Structure formats: structure tokens, C-alpha cells
Amino acid sequence: DQQVKQNSPSLSVQEGRISILNCDYTNSMFDYFLWYKKYPAEGPTFLISISSIKDKNEDGRFTVFLNKSAKHLSLHIVPSQPGDSAVYFCAASADTGNQFYFGTGTSLTVIP
Amino acid sequence: DAGVIQSPRHEVTEMGQEVTLRCKPISGHNSLFWYRQTMMRGLELLIYFNNNVPIDDSGMPEDRFSAKMPNASFSTLKIQPSEPRDSAVYFCASTLGPIINSPLHFGNGTRLTVT
């Protein structure tokens, strides 16, 4: 049973525009959320995180928003660049647990 | 920092053969995770170790799968006998400290093909 869901397998965006990747979760105990980026033939690399005490975290062009009541988070990339083309995984963990739960990933293509 | 090192990068084997995947975590990290990536389920946790001790192996699909961590710098994931449905990319990841504050660092994975 997927506790973290990414319902959009793929997304295409024009260079310079905003990319919005979405993630939903079912476990209300989750309180730490992360986004990973994965290029082909490489392992996922950590991109940005947010704890449940916040509703927004920014790092350069990347912003993660958390809506706890909706059990939803999103990753915004502004402006999108061709180098951002990758698979993005959402992950979550609970303070009471000690493992991460990952979504199935969204493949982002930024068109030059 | 060399990062998490996995070997081999690719493994092609015939059904019924034994397969061993290897992982060297980042030095000083005390938690190690084995994940399997498939199209249908994304990244599935198979097993994780804390201070070399297996903590949760509930994600290991069958008794054909086993994992060991004999010391802080080495872990293996073994499949015996292998089956075509085991074909996937297997990732090892490590982290330091409480999970809540420590993102995982992944290796580049082993792509396993069982024919």
C-alpha cells in the first residue's frame, strides 16, 4: 500500500516557466518530507526537505510547499532549466519511525 | 568523500543463479538501506540496518532474499535462486544520525537482469 503517491508519471514544461510537481501522502504521522532528483544511471540525490512545523521552504529556484490538512506537498521549480530534466521522487518519514517512504516518481522534461 | 559505492553496476544472470550485490556506505554513516526501484512501485525499501544490525526486513519479498552487514563499511544483498521478476535496479543508501534530520545518500545502483 503506497503511503506516498505521485499521481503524475510525467510532466513537460517550457524552459523558463514554472514546474510544479505534486505529492500526496496518507499517513498523518509523517512529519518530515523530502524531494530527490534522479538522473538516468545515477542514484537519487537529495534536493530539498521540509518539516511539518513549516509550510514552505525555499532553496534557490526550488520551493517546497506543505499542506498538512490536505496531506499534500508540492515542489516548485522557477525558472525551469533543461538541466532540471530528471525523475523527481517525493519521500516522507515519521519521527516515531526510522525509514523513508518514497513515491513512484515524476519524470520532468524541460523543453529548451 | 567517495559517496556510497555499489558493485556491480550491471548484473545479467540466468534464472536460478545466485546473485550478490555489494555496498560500501559513506564512512561514518550508521544506517544503511537497500531499496529496489520498479516502475510500478517506485523505490521500495527492502531492509535497513542501524549500527550493522538489521532493524526491519519486512520489505524483503521472499526468503530468496537475504542481506548482511558484517561491519560498518560493507553490506551485501543476496538473491538465491534468482527469478526474472527480480529484474530491477537495486539501490543502497546510507545516512548518519536520526532519520528525521538526515537525508539518505544513495549509490548509483545495480541494474539486475535475470533471464
Side-chain angles (χ1 to χ4, degrees):
Chain A
D1 185 26
Q2 286 286 127
Q3 297 191 53
V4 177
K5 299 178 183 179
Q6 295 176 257
N7 293 318
S8 297
S10 62
L11 174 69
S12 290
V13 171
Q14 207 71 30
E15 181 179 4
R17 300 290 188 100
I18 184 171
S19 295
I20 300 177
L21 295 92
N22 293 303
C23 178
D24 297 292
Y25 61 96
T26 58
N27 189 339
S28 58
M29 298 300 291
F30 287 153
D31 51 14
Y32 182 53
F33 305 89
L34 310 91
W35 285 94
Y36 283 80
K37 177 179 179 178
K38 183 185 179 305
Y39 292 119
E42 295 183 10
T45 55
F46 170 69
L47 188 58
I48 192 170
S49 64
I50 188 168
S51 74
S52 59
I53 61 173
K54 295 184 175 182
D55 54 18
K56 176 183 174 181
N57 188 28
E58 280 184 82
D59 184 1
R61 297 185 296 113
F62 302 90
T63 303
V64 56
F65 294 92
L66 176 62
N67 182 334
K68 290 185 289 293
S69 60
K71 294 191 180 68
H72 177 84
L73 66 157
S74 60
L75 175 68
H76 292 210
I77 306 173
V78 182
S80 302
Q81 299 174 353
D84 298 328
S85 297
V87 176
Y88 290 78
F89 289 97
C90 169
S93 69
D95 190 25
T96 54
N98 42 16
Q99 62 167 287
F100 290 99
Y101 296 86
F102 283 82
T104 51
T106 296
S107 178
L108 172 67
T109 301
V110 180
I111 304 164
Chain B
D1 185 350
V4 176
I5 300 172
Q6 291 187 246
S7 64
R9 288 298 309 273
H10 302 274
E11 177 78 44
V12 180
T13 191
E14 292 184 348
M15 182 174 63
Q17 297 297 306
E18 175 183 305
V19 174
T20 300
L21 312 182
R22 297 172 176 79
C23 175
K24 177 179 169 54
I26 292 174
S27 177
H29 282 189
N30 60 355
S31 293
L32 182 141
F33 300 76
W34 283 99
Y35 281 88
R36 178 170 67 176
Q37 183 188 7
T38 62
M39 291 297 292
M40 290 299 295
R41 300 179 66 87
L43 284 164
E44 286 181 278
L45 178 66
L46 301 176
I47 185 171
Y48 73 92
F49 297 83
N50 184 253
N51 293 322
N52 311 339
V53 177
I55 303 300
D56 184 352
D57 65 355
S58 60
M60 297 285 260
E62 299 171 33
D63 291 345
R64 298 183 296 106
F65 286 69
S66 62
K68 293 182 180 179
M69 192 164 186
N71 57 62
S73 59
F74 184 64
S75 177
T76 59
L77 177 68
K78 183 181 292 186
I79 308 172
Q80 180 185 21
S82 58
E83 297 183 2
R85 59 192 166 122
D86 301 330
S87 298
V89 182
Y90 291 80
F91 289 102
C92 175
S94 69
T95 190
L96 172 65
I99 299 298
I100 191 67
N101 294 319
S102 305
L104 296 176
H105 298 261
F106 283 85
N108 284 331
T110 295
R111 179 174 293 277
L112 173 64
T113 303
V114 183
T115 60

